[in-house]
């Protein structure tokens, strides 16, 4: 993807209010790191929501309404950094189309600041007694992320989400992105590929090397056998619970389970666990 607009059609740059606003974009782009997934999405006309996001993602088993798909509003000529993280196969839509589908920007709240603490308290109150998936707080949680300044920051992704996935027709697509560049005509994208079954496993937002991802998955499962959010294991109908437990920081907990782990893999595991829920990384 060329920087500074080089090679990109002029009408895809700037913003409808003022074409000179190159820091703004009319388009929202969803990325995947696999060509097969990209082609499968085009064939199906659907980006499936296969994983939960937001401040209540750890409650998906109780709520069943936190899964979402992710897009970015980063200007088209500045997408290289995002593509390196999430893949070079993208589908772009207008803001209005995503808004009509229920999409909204992600709200990033700095950890331990008044806004984050207030929002967390609202969630805590909603969890008292029997959890009600219809409570309005749970319509907001997929769009709220906690960030830790200087450590766990992803607001640069300028993310939007659509809860429950996104169905579309070819006419709904503004353009597509491939490693070869931008295509604005669907007939330029060949979808006569082998019939790859689209089970949704590759439509998530995070794209990391497969070997590293498999190891992170294995270590995460082992970690959660020792440290897990008690709320995931309680029967909500039985009322309110009070726990008296030692407080652990995520890094300390990881080192207690994997004392020989160090370097980049340690940092990736800690960051990944911190992103799993509002509770992980504060006290367990």
């Amino acid at each position: 993807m060329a920087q500074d607009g080089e090679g990109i059609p002029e009408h895809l740059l700037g913003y409808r209010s003022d074409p000179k606003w190159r820091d703004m974009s009319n388009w929202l782009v969803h990325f995947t790191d696999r060509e097969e997934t990209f082609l499968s999405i085009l064939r199906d006309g659907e980006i499936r929501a296969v994983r939960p996001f937001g401040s209540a993602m750890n409650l998906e088993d109780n709520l069943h309404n936190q899964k979402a798909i992710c897009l970015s509003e980063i200007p088209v000529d500045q997408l290289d950094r995002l593509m390196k993280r999430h893949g070079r196969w993208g589908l772009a839509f207008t803001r209005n189309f995503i808004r009509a589908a229920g999409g909204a920007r992600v709200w990033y709240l700095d950890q331990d600041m008044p806004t984050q603490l207030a929002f967390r308290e609202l969630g805590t109150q909603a969890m008292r007694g029997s959890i009600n998936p219809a409570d309005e707080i749970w319509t907001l949680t997929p769009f709220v992320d906690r960030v830790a300044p200087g450590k766990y920051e992803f607001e640069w992704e300028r993310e939007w989400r659509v809860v429950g996935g996104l169905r579309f027709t070819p006419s709904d697509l503004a353009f597509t992105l491939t490693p070869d560049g931008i295509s604005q005509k669907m007939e330029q994208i060949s979808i006569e590929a082998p019939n790859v079954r689209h089970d949704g496993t590759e439509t998530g937002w995070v794209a990391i090397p497969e070997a590293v991802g498999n190891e992170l998955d294995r270590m995460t499962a082992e970690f959660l056998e020792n440290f897990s959010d008690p709320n995931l294991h309680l029967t909500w109908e039985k009322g309110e619970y009070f726990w008296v437990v030692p407080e652990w920081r995520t890094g300390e907990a990881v080192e207690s389970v994997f004392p020989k782990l160090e370097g980049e893999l340690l940092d990736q595991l800690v960051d990944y666990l911190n992103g799993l829920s509002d509770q992980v990384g504060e006290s367990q």
Side-chain angles (χ1 to χ4, degrees), residues 2 20 61 63 73 91 110 123 135 142 182 200 247 257 261 266:
K20 296 179 182 179
D61 288 345
L63 297 172
E73 64 176 353
L91 302 98
D110 285 355
D135 194 309
I182 294 175
E247 181 174 352
V257 178
L261 190 64
L266 172 63

Side-chain angles (χ1 to χ4, degrees), residues 46-242:
E46 181 178 9
I47 305 174
R48 290 182 171 87
V50 297
R51 54 171 291 196
F53 288 90
S55 57
M57 61 186 295
N58 61 317
L59 298 177
E60 172 61 18
D61 288 345
N62 299 95
L63 297 172
H64 308 292
N65 57 11
Q66 303 298 294
K67 291 182 179 179
I69 64 106
C70 308
L71 309 98
S72 173
E73 64 176 353
I74 292 176
V76 179
D77 60 333
Q78 300 295 320
L79 283 169
D80 262 12
R81 182 182 178 193
L82 192 71
M83 295 169 81
K84 289 176 182 177
R85 179 175 178 83
H86 299 304
R88 292 193 169 271
W89 302 89
L91 302 98
F93 305 89
T94 65
R95 288 169 176 261
N96 287 340
F97 176 74
I98 296 301
R99 285 194 180 104
R105 296 176 184 85
V106 172
W107 186 17
Y108 302 101
L109 301 181
D110 285 355
Q111 179 177 322
D112 297 330
M113 295 299 288
T115 49
Q116 188 264 327
L117 296 175
F119 190 82
R120 184 180 179 185
E121 178 59 26
L122 291 175
T124 299
Q125 293 176 15
M127 289 190 293
R128 289 176 179 155
S130 177
I131 191 169
N132 178 13
D135 194 309
E136 291 184 354
I137 186 70
W138 310 125
T139 67
L140 298 177
T141 48
F143 302 99
V144 179
D145 275 358
R146 181 194 60 173
V147 297
K151 181 180 180 183
Y152 187 73
E153 300 174 295
F154 285 107
E155 61 265 43
W156 63 269
E157 294 189 344
R158 296 174 67 170
E159 189 176 347
W160 286 55
R161 290 177 186 153
V162 181
V163 173
L166 180 68
R167 294 198 63 85
F168 62 91
T169 65
S171 63
D172 296 321
L173 276 169
F175 56 89
T176 59
L177 295 165
T178 73
D180 296 325
I182 294 175
S183 174
Q184 295 179 261
K185 294 183 179 180
M186 284 297 296
E187 57 266 25
Q188 292 179 292
I189 300 295
S190 172
I191 59 174
E192 295 178 2
N195 186 22
V196 180
R197 181 177 180 272
H198 181 57
D199 59 7
T201 56
E202 300 295 341
T203 62
W205 188 237
V206 177
I208 56 178
E210 183 175 1
V212 175
N214 291 339
E215 184 64 7
L216 284 176
D217 289 343
R218 183 194 68 77
M219 290 190 294
T220 298
E222 183 175 344
F223 176 87
L224 293 177
E225 290 178 1
N226 296 274
F227 294 89
S228 186
D229 185 346
N231 292 325
L232 295 178
H233 307 286
L234 300 180
T235 304
W236 292 98
E237 290 76 12
K238 296 296 180 62
E240 195 168 338
Y241 293 80
F242 295 90

